Amino acid sequence: MSSYTLYIIYMLNIKIFRVNPISENCYIVHDDTKEGVIIDCGCFSVKEWKEIKRYIDDNNIVITHMLNTHLHFDHIMGIPFVYDDLGISPEACISDKFLYDDLDGQIRMFFGQDFNIPTLPSIARALKDGDNISFGEHDMSVIQTPGHSPGSICLYCESENVLFSGDTLFQNSIGRTDLSGSSTSDMMNSLQRLSELPRNTEVYPGHGGKTSIGWECDNNPYFPSI
């Protein structure tokens, strides 16, 4: 009588919603256990949030973490929707708290007018380099990548070779370093660190289309070649 071991493979599913006037990428990430996370919920309107919530409900996803790669306004405007509907508070690097505490000021500076943005809930967990985030059968690790903002982080799922890069790394480009709290030297150090990830790592940025570490090493003028 033969014996065998049954391995169950839980695939990672990534859904992108492009939201708000800045066309920011909000991600719903889950596996076949139906547990998942929401990354950078920047939805600007009830209509945008309803579309995201419909996807969550239709796929029976249980969101266990609300994660933020950084706390600029276009990545956090949807936090009140998530908090009110799902009862989940945000997790982010505390170095960006000065931005979080001045959401109205950020919006006023960019748009030149005020918007009726609900009060943001408190940050539930201060993420730092090396922290682990678990959901379903998957884990993500936090990589601190200051430069675009002092609290910028990337979220790396090593088992799937997937990186959520926020506004640190875009396809053929990088995030701005001329904003309050930005640092060009920090950005260069962060890019060097990302360049050391496996070349086949898929990169899902905060804006635009996905790319890979290998592509950026070979083509991005700001990115270190190794």
Side-chain angles (χ1 to χ4, degrees), residues 95-109:
S95 297
D96 270 3
K97 191 173 184 297
F98 74 102
L99 295 168
Y100 195 73
D101 292 340
D102 191 31
L103 175 58
D104 289 338
Q106 288 193 64
I107 291 173
R108 193 179 307 115
M109 181 169 20

Side-chain angles (χ1 to χ4, degrees), residues 69-87:
T69 61
H70 64 297
L71 297 176
H72 283 145
F73 74 94
D74 53 321
H75 292 252
I76 66 174
M77 290 189 294
I79 285 177
F81 294 121
V82 181
Y83 180 75
D84 290 344
D85 273 11
L86 304 181

Side-chain angles (χ1 to χ4, degrees), residues 175-191:
R176 292 174 58 177
T177 58
D178 59 344
L179 305 170
S180 177
S182 297
S183 167
T184 300
S185 61
D186 284 349
M187 176 65 87
M188 293 302 105
N189 290 334
S190 294
L191 295 175

Side-chain angles (χ1 to χ4, degrees), residues 32-64:
D32 295 338
T33 68
K34 298 300 184 180
E35 282 194 356
V37 301
I38 184 167
I39 300 173
D40 286 348
C41 189
C43 54
F44 186 73
S45 66
V46 172
K47 180 180 178 181
E48 288 178 335
W49 170 243
K50 282 185 175 179
E51 182 182 357
I52 296 171
K53 182 64 162 52
R54 186 180 306 113
Y55 174 81
I56 293 170
D57 292 342
D58 288 349
N59 290 278
N60 300 310
I61 302 167
V62 177
I63 300 295
T64 58

Side-chain angles (χ1 to χ4, degrees), residues 180-216:
S180 177
S182 297
S183 167
T184 300
S185 61
D186 284 349
M187 176 65 87
M188 293 302 105
N189 290 334
S190 294
L191 295 175
Q192 177 63 51
R193 190 173 181 190
L194 294 183
S195 75
E196 296 166 2
L197 294 174
R199 286 178 59 88
N200 65 342
T201 302
E202 289 190 322
V203 178
Y204 290 82
H207 303 269
K210 75 174 183 177
T211 183
S212 71
I213 292 297
W215 173 269
E216 298 310 314

